[in-house]
Amino acid sequence: MCGFTGWVSTGATGARRAELCAMQATLAHRGPDQSGEHLFETADGGEVALAHCRLSIIDLDGGRQPMFDADYVLVYNGEIYNYQALRKELVAGGCRFDDASDTAVVLQAYKQWGIDCLSRFRGMFAFALWDAAAGRMIFARDPFGKKPLFFHRQGSRLVFGSEIKAVLAFPGVRRCADPTVLSDYFLYRYVPQPHTLFDGIEKLPAGSYAIWERGELTTHRYFTPPDAQPRATAPADRRMPVDGFLDRLTDAVAIRMISDVPYGAFLSGGLDSSAIVALMARQSTQPIRTFSVGFAEADYSELDHARTVAEHIGADHHELRLSPDDLMDHLPALTRFRDAPVAETADIPIYLLSLEAGRHVKMVLTGEGSDELLAGYPKHAFERYAPAYGALPDPVRHKLIEPTIASLPYRYRRIKTVAATLGLADPDERLPRWFGALARAERERLLAPQSVDRAPVDARWARVAGNSALRHALYFDQASWLPDNLLERGDRMTMAASIEARMPFLDEELAAYVSGLPDRWRLRRHTGKYLLREAMRRLLPAAIIDRPKVGFRVPVNEWFRGPMQDYLREHLIADATRTRDYYRPGAVARVLDEHAAGRQNHEKLIWTMLNLELWHRHCLEMRP
């Protein structure tokens, strides 16, 4: 787990090692163990600069980067979990290795198989590889987008880095907001790939590679989440699906426990993380170190459930409790770590939990990705009703159902969300709206005219003929919600604390197996993750398996009505507010007043606005 940065150009840039080292220094938190850099001229008079920071997890003495081999130079971030099997195959084909790192396997795999090596890797990764013989630079990201990579084009020069802050450190890269993505930000609560909030900085999409050759960058997709298409008609496995799933999940956990440093797991007390630690315990002779976070507000804390699981598996358990002060104290710093608005309130507890875990281990396994693979959200059950709801006569919907639901008390926010979202006929608006802030009509009421869409939304999530409503919703989750939000959060918050996070549920072989099953193995009536629940009945207490989903929630709803009211007004409606011109006059004050009075629950929208303001202050302006 590491970070890298650099540039490639068809001519001399004028930048030298000092500039490269300054870019590298912005990534020191991603790799405090080793660093290296290399700046050289290409055969045709171009220039390549590569810098790397390493967090050593495998082969602590080897794997130094940039890594050289004849005409190739590599900088790489991530872990290839099947590197030992690939190494044996490469050795049998005549390759020679100077160390035991997975980095060396990446380099030799590209030499042996070219870009087809990407389909052989089982893991999380991003890399930049200079191929001198071909006169080109190859960039790639793993299938689900666990590891990041950003670009900035300057004519015949390309600047790149594992985080945006490294790109911004290159001379001449401006810190400017891109107003054309603002409407998307308020729909998704993040900016979908390949864009970012920074004008001129883009991210390489998940499951893609790019080639820089003769001053041109071309991007190609090599992986699409399997739920994008209708499932195969042939059964994925002759055995019972529960057994086949458990075998594959067990293997996904086992290969992610390969490490030369101490490791543990995040344990929320929910089904996903509990399943991971239970499988880890089966394969370890030592107690698994587990780390949990909670709050004083009992409705939001799962510490009791996490403690139950930890005792059940005999874990070495650690707990952390947070308060509103933790939120306000850490938000600016987390905005700088993320180089973007903090999309989810859970970023803060995950970061603080990562700091606590970092005192004991260097790597953790997490339950991320289970909901998006196995249909764990309520929306996965409700999405099937969208066509029927949309077919109701307009008077029934607009004059009876919607006014009635809008008048419900504050505590019925989930019902309000379901009605508002099901009423959106366009899946490109509806699918983001389940977790997002505002649909188009809502954006038009809040945002100033210049901040609303200037062109129709692209048909990003158009249905594939024959695909089910469930698979269509899961495809959106796997192609956007995960890489652009949850996995970005997981990478930045753990790397900010200099630890690595591994996610067994997002194993490509496991995902392919689950996608090959009929929908009923994921969703039964209104119960999601059916396959996981049945697989875990032999490993976990029934109270953990069958209790309602809570999710990793932070009590900002209450905090925004209580201790954070002054903080919100100071940031969102004061004279010093940077984002005031984005909104219609009086619109922000109305939202704050409605939330404070308990008339409406606007916690997601308020969080979205607050973090956009913080991004302006602490990323665009670089305030201390």
Side-chain angles (χ1 to χ4, degrees), residues 230-247:
R231 78 175 187 92
T233 55
D237 199 312
R238 292 182 179 275
R239 297 170 300 169
M240 284 295 294
V242 172
D243 294 332
F245 170 77
L246 184 57
D247 286 349

PDB file of all heavy atoms in Angstrom, residues 230-247:
ATOM      1  N   PRO A 230     -27.753  -9.171 -17.769  1.00  0.00           N
ATOM      2  CA  PRO A 230     -28.563 -10.259 -17.199  1.00  0.00           C
ATOM      3  C   PRO A 230     -27.679 -11.442 -16.847  1.00  0.00           C
ATOM      4  O   PRO A 230     -26.667 -11.699 -17.499  1.00  0.00           O
ATOM      5  CB  PRO A 230     -29.538 -10.606 -18.326  1.00  0.00           C
ATOM      6  CG  PRO A 230     -29.594  -9.374 -19.176  1.00  0.00           C
ATOM      7  CD  PRO A 230     -28.228  -8.758 -19.108  1.00  0.00           C
ATOM      8  N   ARG A 231     -28.055 -12.180 -15.820  1.00  0.00           N
ATOM      9  CA  ARG A 231     -27.213 -13.285 -15.370  1.00  0.00           C
ATOM     10  C   ARG A 231     -27.191 -14.396 -16.413  1.00  0.00           C
ATOM     11  O   ARG A 231     -28.117 -14.540 -17.228  1.00  0.00           O
ATOM     12  CB  ARG A 231     -27.707 -13.838 -14.032  1.00  0.00           C
ATOM     13  CG  ARG A 231     -28.926 -14.736 -14.130  1.00  0.00           C
ATOM     14  CD  ARG A 231     -29.256 -15.333 -12.762  1.00  0.00           C
ATOM     15  NE  ARG A 231     -30.334 -16.319 -12.880  1.00  0.00           N
ATOM     16  CZ  ARG A 231     -30.132 -17.606 -13.069  1.00  0.00           C
ATOM     17  NH1 ARG A 231     -28.899 -18.078 -13.176  1.00  0.00           N
ATOM     18  NH2 ARG A 231     -31.152 -18.449 -13.160  1.00  0.00           N
ATOM     19  N   ALA A 232     -26.126 -15.179 -16.372  1.00  0.00           N
ATOM     20  CA  ALA A 232     -26.017 -16.335 -17.262  1.00  0.00           C
ATOM     21  C   ALA A 232     -27.111 -17.340 -16.914  1.00  0.00           C
ATOM     22  O   ALA A 232     -27.498 -17.491 -15.754  1.00  0.00           O
ATOM     23  CB  ALA A 232     -24.639 -16.967 -17.112  1.00  0.00           C
ATOM     24  N   THR A 233     -27.604 -18.048 -17.908  1.00  0.00           N
ATOM     25  CA  THR A 233     -28.672 -19.021 -17.671  1.00  0.00           C
ATOM     26  C   THR A 233     -28.144 -20.290 -17.009  1.00  0.00           C
ATOM     27  O   THR A 233     -28.873 -20.959 -16.290  1.00  0.00           O
ATOM     28  CB  THR A 233     -29.363 -19.390 -18.984  1.00  0.00           C
ATOM     29  OG1 THR A 233     -28.368 -19.849 -19.930  1.00  0.00           O
ATOM     30  CG2 THR A 233     -30.073 -18.180 -19.568  1.00  0.00           C
ATOM     31  N   ALA A 234     -26.881 -20.620 -17.243  1.00  0.00           N
ATOM     32  CA  ALA A 234     -26.311 -21.819 -16.636  1.00  0.00           C
ATOM     33  C   ALA A 234     -26.024 -21.565 -15.155  1.00  0.00           C
ATOM     34  O   ALA A 234     -25.625 -20.466 -14.778  1.00  0.00           O
ATOM     35  CB  ALA A 234     -25.017 -22.212 -17.358  1.00  0.00           C
ATOM     36  N   PRO A 235     -26.220 -22.544 -14.272  1.00  0.00           N
ATOM     37  CA  PRO A 235     -25.913 -22.346 -12.852  1.00  0.00           C
ATOM     38  C   PRO A 235     -24.416 -22.117 -12.657  1.00  0.00           C
ATOM     39  O   PRO A 235     -23.588 -22.678 -13.378  1.00  0.00           O
ATOM     40  CB  PRO A 235     -26.371 -23.655 -12.200  1.00  0.00           C
ATOM     41  CG  PRO A 235     -26.384 -24.665 -13.304  1.00  0.00           C
ATOM     42  CD  PRO A 235     -26.721 -23.908 -14.547  1.00  0.00           C
ATOM     43  N   ALA A 236     -24.077 -21.279 -11.674  1.00  0.00           N
ATOM     44  CA  ALA A 236     -22.669 -20.960 -11.433  1.00  0.00           C
ATOM     45  C   ALA A 236     -21.935 -22.116 -10.784  1.00  0.00           C
ATOM     46  O   ALA A 236     -20.725 -22.222 -10.872  1.00  0.00           O
ATOM     47  CB  ALA A 236     -22.575 -19.711 -10.555  1.00  0.00           C
ATOM     48  N   ASP A 237     -22.661 -23.013 -10.085  1.00  0.00           N
ATOM     49  CA  ASP A 237     -22.017 -24.094  -9.341  1.00  0.00           C
ATOM     50  C   ASP A 237     -23.045 -25.204  -9.146  1.00  0.00           C
ATOM     51  O   ASP A 237     -24.213 -24.931  -8.888  1.00  0.00           O
ATOM     52  CB  ASP A 237     -21.525 -23.580  -7.987  1.00  0.00           C
ATOM     53  CG  ASP A 237     -20.472 -24.488  -7.375  1.00  0.00           C
ATOM     54  OD1 ASP A 237     -20.707 -25.717  -7.340  1.00  0.00           O
ATOM     55  OD2 ASP A 237     -19.435 -23.986  -6.933  1.00  0.00           O
ATOM     56  N   ARG A 238     -22.620 -26.461  -9.271  1.00  0.00           N
ATOM     57  CA  ARG A 238     -23.559 -27.574  -9.103  1.00  0.00           C
ATOM     58  C   ARG A 238     -23.949 -27.774  -7.626  1.00  0.00           C
ATOM     59  O   ARG A 238     -24.967 -28.370  -7.318  1.00  0.00           O
ATOM     60  CB  ARG A 238     -22.944 -28.861  -9.656  1.00  0.00           C
ATOM     61  CG  ARG A 238     -22.795 -28.846 -11.170  1.00  0.00           C
ATOM     62  CD  ARG A 238     -22.232 -30.175 -11.661  1.00  0.00           C
ATOM     63  NE  ARG A 238     -22.100 -30.169 -13.104  1.00  0.00           N
ATOM     64  CZ  ARG A 238     -23.075 -30.472 -13.949  1.00  0.00           C
ATOM     65  NH1 ARG A 238     -24.258 -30.793 -13.477  1.00  0.00           N
ATOM     66  NH2 ARG A 238     -22.871 -30.453 -15.245  1.00  0.00           N
ATOM     67  N   ARG A 239     -23.092 -27.299  -6.711  1.00  0.00           N
ATOM     68  CA  ARG A 239     -23.413 -27.443  -5.292  1.00  0.00           C
ATOM     69  C   ARG A 239     -24.455 -26.408  -4.875  1.00  0.00           C
ATOM     70  O   ARG A 239     -24.818 -25.524  -5.628  1.00  0.00           O
ATOM     71  CB  ARG A 239     -22.148 -27.258  -4.467  1.00  0.00           C
ATOM     72  CG  ARG A 239     -21.085 -28.319  -4.731  1.00  0.00           C
ATOM     73  CD  ARG A 239     -19.792 -27.919  -4.072  1.00  0.00           C
ATOM     74  NE  ARG A 239     -19.306 -26.639  -4.581  1.00  0.00           N
ATOM     75  CZ  ARG A 239     -18.314 -25.952  -4.031  1.00  0.00           C
ATOM     76  NH1 ARG A 239     -17.753 -26.395  -2.942  1.00  0.00           N
ATOM     77  NH2 ARG A 239     -17.905 -24.830  -4.581  1.00  0.00           N
ATOM     78  N   MET A 240     -24.921 -26.498  -3.620  1.00  0.00           N
ATOM     79  CA  MET A 240     -25.828 -25.495  -3.102  1.00  0.00           C
ATOM     80  C   MET A 240     -25.133 -24.143  -3.106  1.00  0.00           C
ATOM     81  O   MET A 240     -23.965 -24.046  -2.709  1.00  0.00           O
ATOM     82  CB  MET A 240     -26.254 -25.857  -1.682  1.00  0.00           C
ATOM     83  CG  MET A 240     -27.288 -26.963  -1.630  1.00  0.00           C
ATOM     84  SD  MET A 240     -28.853 -26.462  -2.390  1.00  0.00           S
ATOM     85  CE  MET A 240     -29.369 -25.180  -1.251  1.00  0.00           C
ATOM     86  N   PRO A 241     -25.803 -23.088  -3.548  1.00  0.00           N
ATOM     87  CA  PRO A 241     -25.155 -21.778  -3.608  1.00  0.00           C
ATOM     88  C   PRO A 241     -24.565 -21.304  -2.287  1.00  0.00           C
ATOM     89  O   PRO A 241     -23.534 -20.636  -2.277  1.00  0.00           O
ATOM     90  CB  PRO A 241     -26.297 -20.868  -4.076  1.00  0.00           C
ATOM     91  CG  PRO A 241     -27.183 -21.756  -4.882  1.00  0.00           C
ATOM     92  CD  PRO A 241     -27.131 -23.075  -4.176  1.00  0.00           C
ATOM     93  N   VAL A 242     -25.191 -21.674  -1.164  1.00  0.00           N
ATOM     94  CA  VAL A 242     -24.649 -21.238   0.124  1.00  0.00           C
ATOM     95  C   VAL A 242     -23.254 -21.812   0.332  1.00  0.00           C
ATOM     96  O   VAL A 242     -22.330 -21.107   0.767  1.00  0.00           O
ATOM     97  CB  VAL A 242     -25.583 -21.652   1.277  1.00  0.00           C
ATOM     98  CG1 VAL A 242     -24.929 -21.369   2.629  1.00  0.00           C
ATOM     99  CG2 VAL A 242     -26.908 -20.901   1.180  1.00  0.00           C
ATOM    100  N   ASP A 243     -23.059 -23.075   0.006  1.00  0.00           N
ATOM    101  CA  ASP A 243     -21.745 -23.695   0.165  1.00  0.00           C
ATOM    102  C   ASP A 243     -20.730 -23.087  -0.799  1.00  0.00           C
ATOM    103  O   ASP A 243     -19.581 -22.815  -0.422  1.00  0.00           O
ATOM    104  CB  ASP A 243     -21.835 -25.206  -0.065  1.00  0.00           C
ATOM    105  CG  ASP A 243     -22.656 -25.906   1.006  1.00  0.00           C
ATOM    106  OD1 ASP A 243     -22.702 -25.403   2.140  1.00  0.00           O
ATOM    107  OD2 ASP A 243     -23.258 -26.952   0.689  1.00  0.00           O
ATOM    108  N   GLY A 244     -21.150 -22.902  -2.047  1.00  0.00           N
ATOM    109  CA  GLY A 244     -20.234 -22.305  -3.017  1.00  0.00           C
ATOM    110  C   GLY A 244     -19.840 -20.895  -2.634  1.00  0.00           C
ATOM    111  O   GLY A 244     -18.676 -20.494  -2.774  1.00  0.00           O
ATOM    112  N   PHE A 245     -20.807 -20.121  -2.136  1.00  0.00           N
ATOM    113  CA  PHE A 245     -20.511 -18.757  -1.693  1.00  0.00           C
ATOM    114  C   PHE A 245     -19.561 -18.767  -0.506  1.00  0.00           C
ATOM    115  O   PHE A 245     -18.579 -18.006  -0.475  1.00  0.00           O
ATOM    116  CB  PHE A 245     -21.816 -18.058  -1.326  1.00  0.00           C
ATOM    117  CG  PHE A 245     -21.627 -16.745  -0.625  1.00  0.00           C
ATOM    118  CD1 PHE A 245     -21.268 -15.603  -1.334  1.00  0.00           C
ATOM    119  CD2 PHE A 245     -21.794 -16.650   0.752  1.00  0.00           C
ATOM    120  CE1 PHE A 245     -21.084 -14.391  -0.688  1.00  0.00           C
ATOM    121  CE2 PHE A 245     -21.612 -15.444   1.408  1.00  0.00           C
ATOM    122  CZ  PHE A 245     -21.255 -14.314   0.690  1.00  0.00           C
ATOM    123  N   LEU A 246     -19.823 -19.608   0.496  1.00  0.00           N
ATOM    124  CA  LEU A 246     -18.976 -19.631   1.688  1.00  0.00           C
ATOM    125  C   LEU A 246     -17.556 -20.048   1.348  1.00  0.00           C
ATOM    126  O   LEU A 246     -16.590 -19.489   1.884  1.00  0.00           O
ATOM    127  CB  LEU A 246     -19.581 -20.578   2.730  1.00  0.00           C
ATOM    128  CG  LEU A 246     -18.843 -20.637   4.075  1.00  0.00           C
ATOM    129  CD1 LEU A 246     -18.744 -19.255   4.707  1.00  0.00           C
ATOM    130  CD2 LEU A 246     -19.548 -21.608   5.017  1.00  0.00           C
ATOM    131  N   ASP A 247     -17.403 -21.016   0.444  1.00  0.00           N
ATOM    132  CA  ASP A 247     -16.056 -21.416   0.023  1.00  0.00           C
ATOM    133  C   ASP A 247     -15.299 -20.241  -0.584  1.00  0.00           C
ATOM    134  O   ASP A 247     -14.120 -20.017  -0.278  1.00  0.00           O
ATOM    135  CB  ASP A 247     -16.134 -22.547  -1.004  1.00  0.00           C
ATOM    136  CG  ASP A 247     -16.515 -23.883  -0.389  1.00  0.00           C
ATOM    137  OD1 ASP A 247     -16.508 -23.992   0.854  1.00  0.00           O
ATOM    138  OD2 ASP A 247     -16.831 -24.812  -1.167  1.00  0.00           O
TER     139      ASP A 247
END
